Structure formats: C-alpha cells, structure tokens
Amino acid sequence: MFRGKQTRVLLLNDMERLECTLFRLEQGFELQFHLGPTLQGKSVHVHTNYPAPGKKFVSSSFRQLEWVNPSGREDDSDKYCKLDLEIAGSYQYYFGCGHEERTGGGFIVVDPVLRIGHERKILPLDCITVQTYLAKCLGPLDEWLDRLRVAKETGYNMIHFTPLQKLGASRSCYSIADQLELNPDFSPPGKNNTWMDVGNLTEKIKKEWNMLCITDVVFNHTAANSKWIRHHPECGYNLVNSPYLKPAWLLDRALWHFSCAIILRGLLWTEVFSQLKLWEFLQVNVEKAVEQFRKVLQAGECNRPASNGPKSIQECCDWFKKSLEELNVECYKEMHSHHEKAINCIVGTVCYERLAAHGPQLGPVTRTNPLVTRYFTFPFEDMTMEQENQLIQNPNDACHLLAHNGWVMGDDPLRNFAEPGSNVYLRRELVCWGDSVKLHYGVKPEDCPYLWAHMKKYTEITAKHFSGVRLDNCHSTPLHVAEYMLSVARQYRPDLYVVAEVFTGSEELDNIFMTRLGITSLIREAMSAGDSHEEGRLVYHFGGEPVGSFVQPNLRPLVPSIAHAMFLDVTHDNECPIQVRSVFDALPSTAIVSMACCASGSTRGYDELVPHQVIIYMCWNPDALPSSVGEVNLQTGIMSGKLALNKLHQELAEKGFTQVYVDQLDADTVAVTRHCPTFKNPETHQYREHLDPMYIPGKIEEVILEARTVERNAESYVKDERFINGMLNFMVEIQNLFCGYSGYLSDMSEFVEEILFEKLTPGSVIAFRVSLDPNSQKVVGYLRTQLSQFNRLYKSGSLTDSNVPGILKIALDFLMSKLTLAELNVLLFRCDVEEEEDGGGCYNIPSWMPLKYGGLQGFVSVLSEIRPKNDLGHPFCDNLRQGDWMIDYVSSRLMNKGGALREVGKWFSAVFTYLEHIPRYLVPCYFDAIIVGAYATAVDAVFNQMSSFVQNGSTLVKQLALGSVQMCGVGRVPTLPPLSPELEDVPVRLNSVTKQEEQCCVSLAAGLPHFSTGIFRCWGRDTFIALRGLMLLTGRYLEARNIILAFAGTMHHGLIPNLLGQGVAARYDCCDAVWWWLQCIQDYCNIVPNSTDILMCPVSRMYPTDDSEVHDQPLYVVIQEAMQCHMQGIEFRERNAGPQIDHNMRDEGFNVEAKVNPETGFVYGGKRFNCGTWMDKMGESDKANNRGVPATPRDGSAVEIAGLSKSAVRWLMTMNENGNFPYSSVTIHRDGTEQSVSYKEWNQRIQENFERFFYVSEDPSDPNEQHPDLVHKKCIYKDSYGASSPWCDYQLRPNFTIAMVVAPELFTVQRAWKALEIVEKKLLGPLGMKTLDPDDLVYCGVYDNALDNDNYNYAKGFNYHQGPEWLWPVGYFLRAKLYFAKKMGQEKYNESVYLVKNVLSRLYTHLERSPWKGLPELTNENGQYCPFSCETQAWSIATVLETLYDL
C-alpha cells in the first residue's frame, strides 16, 4: 500500500512545557516545529539533542534548528523548522525567545524498527508475541534450544529472559551477584560457557527461528552478597556516605535483637524505641551549647548585648537556652511521629507475613525468618547493641553497613527514598528486599566512578547480545542513570527495544518515564482486569482505532499518544491465573489479549496450565504422550489454541488490521470479532443455555478457530518435583461444533451474516475471517479509483468499473476549473439565510444542529473536528450511517443549479452512488474522503483565479483570501443596481421567472449570517472598506470595477448610500461612505493594470437630481460631482423620512448635512441626532429613554474622514497634473458669486491645519488647544474636531489610525509614534480594537443587544461602539504601526513586526478554529465571544489581508 511521506506538525507555544506529554513517532517521519500564536513574530530559536546527520547522539549536546519559510512572506503562519527522524530513541527539544534560553520544551520518542530472519524482515511492534522464561529454570545452556522450542512451536516471535547473570544467595531472579558474569548454572561440568555463547544462541534464534530475544537489566540494586560491593562499599548507601541513615540503622539493629513471639505495641515502645532515644540525633546538648555561647559573648566575638556585664550576658544565655529547649521539644515530637509510623508499619508487616490468610504465613520468629526484614546488611559476627554502636564509629566498618532496596507504597516514583530528606528507612515504610543492596550512583559518573563503569560494562554486554531490554524496577531507578545506560545501549544497538513495567498510578507520571527513557512498550497485564468487561476495555484502550475510522492526511498535527502496550496474560512475578480464577478462564482470556492491537504475550507455564511457580522447564517433543514426564507438545494445556491465536495476532498486525471493536454481548460473553466467556468458575456459575444470534456486516470467509477447553479422563494433578508440569486433565479441543451462519441483505442493502451458536461452553473461543461481500468489495474498489485522483493512497485496492458513468470519466479538477468565483461561492459557502433565499437551507442534523454552510465548507468544518479524534459516535457520523439524506443533499443542491455547477452536482451524484452500496459503517470514512478531496480541488480552483499575492502567499493569506469567495456572490435577486448597457464584460443570466436576461454582478455581503441577503446585504461603507482587501488584492478586478460603478450610479446629493437597499431603498444617512468609495477608486487605479480606464467607464445614474431619469455619465464626472457637492455644502432631508424607513430615529435625525470648512479644508457634518460614520448605533430603548439618540454621533470633522478626504484631494490633484483627471479644482456658488478652489489649495489647507486642530499636545498651554479642561489623554489625536459635545472630540478611539494609513503625510513621525503606543497600550485587544478608552466613564466592553433595562449607556446594545473590540480597525492600526516604525528606525521596525505577527497569529488561530472560517465582526472585552456579532465579517477579513500585503 502506498503510504507517502508522513509529516507531523508540533505547535510551539510560549511557556508550554510538555515534558509529561508522550509524542510517539516512527522512523522515516518528518517532524515540523511551527510557531503558535504566542510566539509568532518573536525571534524564536529551537534546539534539540537529536543528532545532525552523520553525528552520534549525545544527550547533553543540543543544536539549533534552521527555520524554513516556504512562502517567503513576512508572516509566520508557514514558518517551520524540521527533523527527519531516522534513529530510534528519546530526544529532547526546547525553545527560547530572544535572549531567553528556554521558555518551553518537551520530548519525542522515535520507535525502533525490529528485524528478524536472514532476510531481516521487519517485525512490527503490534506483531510482537512474547513469552517470558525464568532463566534460572532453563538448565545448562546446551539444553536451552529444546526448552525454548516450545515458544517457537506455539507461535511466539519474541522470548524474554529474566537476568542471565550470576545470582545472589537468595536465588531470586533479580538479585544479581555479579552483573558481568554469566550464571555458572548454565555451564555443565567441565565446560565454561560465556556471553559469546549466549550471543550465538540469540543470533541463531533470531535468524533461524525468526524470533527476537530480550532480557532484563537491573540498575537499581545488586545482591547483598555481591563480592564487588564489599570491595567498593561506596556504591551503596552506607553509614559513611549517608550518615543521615544512622538512626534508621540503629532501629533496624534493635529490631533484630528484639525477640518476642507475641508482638505488642507496648513492648515495642518500652523495649526498642524508648531505649534507643533516637530523638537525640535531632536534638542539641543544651548545657554544652549554652556554655559555648557564654564564652563567645564574653570574648566579644559577636554582637554584644547593650551592656556586657554578667547580668546582661546571663539574660542572653537564658534566652538562648530557652530557645534551644523549645527546639529540642519540636525535634522530639518529630521523632515521636516517626516512631508511631514505624510501629504501625511493623505491626502491619507482621500481621501480613504471619497471620493473614493471603500472606506467606512464615510462622514462628526465627533467625532465618526474623520478626521483620532487615533494612541494612550486617556482614559481621553477632555482637551486642553496645558493640554495634561502637562499630558505626569506625568508618572502615560503617561503610559496609549498606541499605537494602525495596519499594514504598504510594510514594513519588521520581523521588529517591534513600536520599537526604527521606525518612522511609526510619519510619519502616519500605517493603524491603533483604537480598539486595540499593545502589548509590550520585548525579554523575564522577560521583561514583566504579559503579558507573561497572554498570556501563553490564549494559554493553546486554545490548551486544540481545535485541531489547526490560527495565526492571523502572519506577525506582534514578532517571538520569537509566537515561545514561540506555544511551550506552543504543550506541551498540540503535534499534533497541525497551520495555518496562511502571507502577506510578498516573498516566502523566508514566509518560515521564516513557519520554525520558524512550521506552517502546509499557507492560500491561490482563490479570489486572476483574472481569471480561474490564479486559475488553483494556483491549480497546491499549491500541487500535474504531471500526470505520477516517483516513488521516499524511501531514497533520502531532497529537499526544498513549503508551504502546505489551499486553500480557500474566507477568512472571504474579500468581498463575489458575490459582486465583479457573482453568476455563485461560483460553478465553488469552484470546482477548491476542486481539489487542499492540504487542501481546504470556509467561511460560500459562499455556501448559501450570498451577504453581516453576522449577525447571520441560522440552518440546511433538510425539510425546500427554502423560510424558518433562515433555510437551500441542496436546498439552491450551498450546494448540495459543498457536492459532498467536498466528492470528501476527497476521492482523502485519496486514494493517488497526481497527478494533469490543462488544459486551452479555454478562459472560465478549465479542472482539470472537466470543469469550467471563472470569467465572463454570462449576458454580450459571451460564445462559441459549445465546442470542450475533450479526456481522460482511461475508464470513472462514472460521479461523473454534476451540474450547474440555476436561478429559486423566489422573488428578500431581506436581512433579523435577519439571514444571501442567494439568493433564484439561486440554483444548479444536473442531467445528459451535456455530452455523447464513447471510442476507439488510434493510440498508448491506450484506450481513447471522451467526447461530450451538454448544458454546465455558472456556470457548471462536475466530472468524470476515471480508466485505463480493459486491461491496467491487463497489469499494470502484470508489477508490475515483478517490485516487485526490490521494495516491487510494490506488491500493482500486478497481476499474466497466460501467462507470460518463461524468466520472472527467477529472473533477477539470469540471471545477469551469466554475467562476461566484459559482465557487455556491459550491463552497452560502449560509442558511442565503440558502433560504433560494428556497432551501443548510443541511440540518436533527439530533444535533444545522451546518454553518450549505456548501462544502459546512461539511468540512465538522469533519475537520471529528476526523483527528476519530469521533465516529458524533451525530454527523450517525446521520451518515442511518441513511443517504446527507449525500443526497450535497448532490441535489448542486444539480438544481445551472451550468457548470450542475455538472459538478452530477459528479457528486455519480460518485455517491457507490457510497450507497457499501457497508454503512464505512460510509463516514469514504464520505469524508470524497468531500475533503472535492473541497481541496475547489480551493485550488479558487486560487488559480486569484492574484499572485494569493497564489504565492502563506497559508494565512490563502485562508483569508477564501473570505473573498465567502462574501462575494450572486443571490436569487440582483443586489446591485443595473450597470450601463454600454459597459463591456457585465455578467448576465436568464431570469427564471421573466425569462429575460438580467445582470448578475457579484455583490459583497457585509457579514454572515446577519448581513447576507436582501436589502441588508450591501452597505456602502462596509463594501468599500472591504473592497481593496477582498477584491483588489485577490485579483478580482472586473468584479471590483462593477461594484464601484454600481455604487457610482446611486450617487445622490454628492453621497453614496450607506444601506444600498438594492438601489431602490437606499439610505443616504452617512458622511463617510463616499470617501471610502473614492479611496477604493484610488486603490483600483494604483493596483489594476491600465487602471485609469475606469474613469472613462459609463455610469448609469439613478438619481443625478431628485426627479431626473436614469442616464449615463463617465465616472470622472461623478467623482467631480461628489467633490463639488461637499465644497458647496450638502444639506437635505432623507426621502420618505419617518418611521417607515427608520422607526428609531428622531425627526431631526433625517436631516443630512456634509460640508467643507473653507478655513481648514476639513469635511464636517452630521448632527447630534444622526450618525454619519461607522460608529452608527442609534438608541432603541424606551426603558432607558435612549431611543432616537445616537450613542456616538461623531458630528463635526471625524478624524478618519479628514484623512480619507485628504487622500482623495491629494490623489485628484496628482491625477490632474498627470493628465488623467480633467478637473484641477471645484467650483462653487457662494454669496451670489462663483468661486473656485483648486485641489492643490484644498490639499494644502488640510495639510497645514490637521495637526494644529487634531493633535492633543503634552503642553497644557498650547494655543491651538481650545478646551484644555477636557483633555484626559495627551499625545493622541482627537477622534473628531468641532463636535456638538466638545468632550467627544477628546475620547480616545482607534479611528485616527485609519487617517495614518490613507494620509500618513498629515502626521509628524514622533507624534504619530507616541499616539500609536498609547493606542496599543489602551485599545489593542486579543483579536480586535477597543472602540473606546477603558478609562472613559461610559466604557462598557460587553455588547448585549437583547438587554433592555433602564441603564441609558447599556440598554439595547447602546454601547455597540463604546468598548466592544471590533476587528477591522486592527488592520489599520497594524498598517500604521508598520509605516511609522520604518520612519523610526530598524529597532522600532523589528519590534513592530513582532507585534504585527503576534496579532496575526491570534487571528489565524481564530480563523483555523472557527467553523465559519472567517473573522468575526467584534468580540466582547478581552476577546470574549459575542453572540450578537456576525460570525464572519467582510471588512474584518479584508483589513487583515491588507496588513499581510504591507508585510
């Protein structure tokens, strides 16, 4: 199967430390580090200890990775650095910003690649079937092959050996006397086997048997009788290098001397603890210390008391004595609490070891079985306590008094309980291993050179001869030691397989060991499950995906992993299940384990049904009789069943069966594609005689295994004293007796097999091989052929349909290349109200909600959320499985359209026909593949029709550019007024009702969903704020021209409408829309090739005067009219004024005024009862008495209009000078005379007066400041000049940043920079700009249009522009910041670029996460979601695109 390059993306965020997060990757993967929102724009450096090509791994050696920016653009959305992962192990990464070395980091784990056989065939991790052998039970090395052959013949592919080293006196498998010496028991008399012989054996097993061998490494302790520890006692925790253990040692010796058959708390207190007086180790000799203190005072060696007379000195000494006595009391209390804990632990241990029914029941107290296990070694002859007290005073003797190892219940696994600060030994909390000494490494090799060198050699021997290691006692091994030793091992064997069993009780703590050590698999045990339901849950948890999972893209986010499991029937250090459960449990339980999608395994003896711990293993003999002593074969125990299950386990992993479904059929039966009884004793438990049929979608190819555990006539079990022997009276019967099955078509045309069970007895297992029925197989093959045009992955399993519909013979990218951007708007987007306008609606999932769009984006937004999580239980997936409604919606919606869209609809209809004939559980997966492939093709078609800025842009640029398609479309009713019939390239269509041709120009929606249809779709101000970003920068020049000319046709009184109302219900109640329109004409001429031609384009005037008919004028005439009207002065009353056009506005508000101050050149207008700018909230509440009152009238000269008018006048002046505009001035009639004002003069007046009247100086005596008493923010620019309420002029708002962008020449650089710094500090939010200074008395950052109360400032959303954070001004602020930063020098520019990138990254994050795939109109304070905002707004997207263009 083609897989392709796998790439994972890890997002870096400031201060994000992921050391407890497990990230697993495979060799051959590429890991990319991308900057998250908190880091974009910063100077980030990423470091890793993953070695550079050709270099060796050194854990402490880090290198810095280089950044790659594929788009070559300034924004950081695509910037990444990468690692090509080719070497197994654990690797660390960290990152910092600027001079900060580390501000975040984590680990990655790269899995090893295991190989077997002469051909070095790969053994996938999920294929592993391991069997554990206690090495000491194998006998001489020459006999091992006969005993190990049992594992080979029963289908295992890995053998785990307990340590092969020389064992200590206890003969415990993990008490190693010499880590470098092979166990002499493995050498027969007269022969001395070596590690080379062991290596030859493991290599033979690997190449000839196709099996790997792993063994334990024990780093934490050594046997108490190890000779080398006698020569190097510094390698343990002794009373010389760890003197803090002396109290614990004294207690340990006292307990040894204490001899009593009956344990009484009172005796422990009186005979042990009170005699030892251990509290004295913590206390001070008061009298002696006081005398020393007195001498110091008398000698004047410290700060003396006020008087140095005897009386003063005595007072000081008395005070000192009192303090010491108080301190001693506290020390006594502390030691007393340790005593109490110690007594409780001792009593608990004695009760368990001698009295408890589930304990070892050691019997009487003897020297062999003392009252409690000793915590320290004592390699001396017996002596009295007094003599022993003298012993610890001699370092040469005390260094041999070494602390034993063990474990502490509930302790922090990352804490070394033998280090200072721990009282585990004193409090007797250690579950002690009396045969082992805890090793004392220190923090680095120099702290204990012999020990580090000795264990390094031990590790090298192990890695040389074994393919993997099991870390014994991993959770108690110092992490830095295990890291070092595994690094050594990987130098010898790079693909080292590392397994461990950790008992942390926390997945987070487990991950610390996994990530730091590069552990490949964590050991899990089926015996930990209390019943079949819990064991089934473990199978699901430890690996595999849900059945019908989505196909994941090759490039996707790196998500945290759960630890890869080695799931065992039973571990070798636990009781045999037969002892605690039932013999009938063995086969079903191992069948469940075998079906886990992870490594699996068992312990030798389980398959033979051995009911006790082993002595020496039996050999393989295929011809042996069941009664043969010392020999086993497939007739023994459950071996025949285990062989079949092991083969099945390996086959499923090799063939990519990664999806798992676990079903609890009833209380006693689990189906994991097979049946399994629970863990109950069949002799006493009542099983159901009749089991309901089981239904499997698909066709049963074969019954792989029908096995059951049966009792046979044989002698009762007798334990053999020489060999391990299983229970001969039980065996596995393999035959075809349990079930019959038949197939039929379900109501959903799905082929289903019904399985009827007969004679299904306890201890039974059935395994089926199931495939799709032949017809479904063919249909899936045909479908994959179609999908292969999107992804080569689908080439595998594809088939050619001889009857393929003709439409499917055409590539989808060809069909979509025929779509216009307006048609792509229909294909990809259109919200619910847009769909309703056409008589439809967005697809609604009854048990959930409607999708955001009727087009493909609506489906993709949901799928992108559920695909990474494989959330197949999502209502979206349920809907797909339950019926064909969704797929019918997708195709029929497009089929109802005309032209090229209908052809795309036909393609969907044809390909969905295949989808209707595959099993329902596969429908979500393949629906996702179709939709995502079609969506990607459509998006490519979009970008192919856009500008080079978009085509070569970053991911953020492209996603924002999709906003152009999202917002620009053609509805059922034309939104724009008709263009001149003389104009070329105007799109037309046939009206479905009149059957006449009509123009169908693209219009720009203000926002979705609220401003998307009807008269509320197009707004003059919104359109022209958004037009440059969404249409000109994206290359949609013709459509931009049409919109400019359409609005030109609606000019009336020198204004263009705010609300277009399809041209016939226009509202001319704004002063700024015409200036934004003029700015867009200027932008058009600056961006579009041959752009000045637009000035000659005919404009069909709808209202040249109040009563005239429509006629054509060139655009330049209309432009001149706008300028002349303003200089002359505009005063009129809106047509049809009254509640019929606005039920909130007061009568005075319908009077519109806009003029030019002849002294300053500033455009001014508006009144306190109407809103002339974008901050146009009109009061609506009768309760609050604000109806008809504008919240922000901004009358006078609004600062952004001053900037926009300056930009227009300057441009027209330049155009005239260049011969592109015929007018050099405006002519007006005033006081009965005709006057002329040149554009040059007008431009000069604005330039000279702007800062004089708009800048708020630091100097309170500035002669230009008319209202110094109203100033509350200095060094800013006023929001307006000449407002009817003068204090409104001085409010800090973000509007002057607009003027900075369109007319930067008006601003002094230093003043502009200071003002921008104040805006950044006071107004910039996470996503948008606060619309009012939070220090203002009427500031309110939460917009609630539904709230109606008596609060004048809040009711009915009166604070719409009094604090809520709007997004579109952010673009202008950032552009202004960049412009003036360049003037301020490189340092300021670099700082500004960081700010811009950081803001862009937050917007990018929102864009990525939003199901609307847009940027909202506004947010509440501090970026909080506002439910009354448009979810995606045209100007929000457009101004951010403009910022990226400036970058």
Side-chain angles (χ1 to χ4, degrees), residues 83-116:
L83 287 174
D84 291 311
L85 303 173
E86 303 293 345
I87 310 170
S90 167
Y91 303 102
Q92 189 176 2
Y93 70 90
Y94 70 86
F95 56 89
C97 302
H99 299 298
E100 293 183 82
E101 180 66 14
R102 298 192 184 207
T103 58
F107 290 84
I108 58 169
V109 177
V110 183
D111 287 337
V113 175
L114 306 180
R115 298 181 183 274
I116 52 177

Side-chain angles (χ1 to χ4, degrees), residues 115-117 202-208 210-212:
R115 298 181 183 274
I116 52 177
T202 59
E203 193 66 16
K204 179 182 177 70
I205 291 172
K206 176 181 175 180
K207 290 185 176 178
E208 296 182 11
N210 292 327
M211 300 176 72
L212 296 179

Side-chain angles (χ1 to χ4, degrees), residues 85 91 140-141 202 405 439-440 594 612 638 649 664 885 1067 1090 1100 1215 1265:
L85 303 173
Y91 303 102
L141 191 64
T202 59
N405 196 22
L439 295 175
H440 187 200
S594 296
H612 58 76
I638 63 169
H649 178 84
Q664 186 84 30
W885 312 290
R1067 292 287 309 278
N1090 303 316
S1100 285
M1215 291 287 283
E1265 190 52 71

Side-chain angles (χ1 to χ4, degrees), residues 462-528:
T462 304
K464 182 178 180 181
H465 300 302
F466 290 90
S467 299
V469 295
R470 174 187 175 272
L471 297 177
D472 179 62
N473 200 26
C474 177
H475 53 284
S476 295
T477 302
L479 268 173
H480 66 287
V481 172
E483 278 183 305
Y484 176 87
M485 298 303 169
L486 287 176
S487 177
V488 168
R490 289 187 172 110
Q491 289 176 16
Y492 276 80
R493 193 176 292 271
D495 281 302
L496 185 75
Y497 181 54
V498 182
V499 296
E501 194 168 13
V502 291
F503 300 98
T504 67
S506 159
E507 189 169 302
E508 188 176 88
L509 286 176
D510 285 357
N511 286 346
I512 292 177
F513 288 92
M514 293 289 294
T515 57
R516 291 276 298 274
L517 305 182
I519 295 171
T520 317
S521 305
L522 279 187
I523 294 171
R524 309 296 192 182
E525 187 180 19
M527 281 288 287
S528 66

Side-chain angles (χ1 to χ4, degrees), residues 63 266 383 560 574 605 716 723 762 766 834 848 930 1108 1131 1157 1190 1268 1299:
R63 62 187 174 100
M383 57 184 76
N574 281 335
S716 298
F723 301 96
I766 309 175
E834 290 178 285
W848 191 48
I930 294 167
S1108 66
E1131 284 188 83
N1157 185 318

